[in-house]
Amino acid sequence: MEIKNIIYPSSKEHYNMSLFHIKNEQVDVQFGTVFLKKGTRIPEKGFTKHACHEISIIQKGKIEMLNEDGSSKAYLKEGDVVYIKAFEAQAGNVLEDTSLIYTLIK
């Protein structure tokens, strides 16, 4: 058993802090935290598509998620849980300083 405190990267560190990464023949799971600064876009340009399924819990803050045409898809706020399928395009505008917990599953 491995136990860790949930901590977030500071605004001066890399935005993503991996807490666990478990990989073997049957499973590849990564669990961690993210801090996103108000006024940023993730990614800076375009959209990302990850090879993993993602489940994230918004601990605080607000993100405007975007459709590929640039229109608003949804607003994620404190207490929301979001599931993003593997290879689903994703991008967003960070409307408030945001802290979230994520799990990536491959």
Side-chain angles (χ1 to χ4, degrees), residues 52-83:
C52 299
H53 299 281
E54 177 182 338
I55 299 172
S56 292
I57 302 167
I58 309 302
Q59 293 298 113
K60 76 172 201 177
K62 189 173 184 181
I63 304 170
E64 174 191 29
M65 297 302 291
L66 302 172
N67 289 307
E68 287 190 84
D69 67 4
S71 64
S72 289
K73 183 179 219 170
Y75 289 89
L76 305 178
K77 62 187 182 328
E78 183 176 326
D80 287 346
V81 177
V82 62
Y83 167 66

Side-chain angles (χ1 to χ4, degrees), residues 92-106:
N93 294 313
V94 182
L95 304 177
E96 299 174 4
D97 283 354
T98 299
S99 299
L100 64 87
I101 298 171
Y102 71 89
T103 302
L104 301 177
I105 308 158
K106 195 170 188 181

Side-chain angles (χ1 to χ4, degrees), residues 1-44:
M1 179 185 305
E2 193 175 345
I3 300 171
K4 294 188 178 183
N5 288 324
I6 295 175
I7 56 174
Y8 292 90
S10 75
S11 60
K12 295 178 182 166
E13 295 177 304
H14 188 265
Y15 76 97
N16 177 2
M17 181 173 292
S18 178
L19 298 175
F20 291 101
H21 188 176
I22 302 141
K23 185 175 183 178
N24 60 41
E25 290 178 17
Q26 292 82 27
V27 68
D28 185 355
V29 176
Q30 186 172 343
F31 177 81
T33 60
V34 171
F35 173 78
L36 301 168
K37 189 160 181 61
K38 177 183 177 178
T40 60
R41 185 181 187 282
I42 49 166
E44 207 172 299

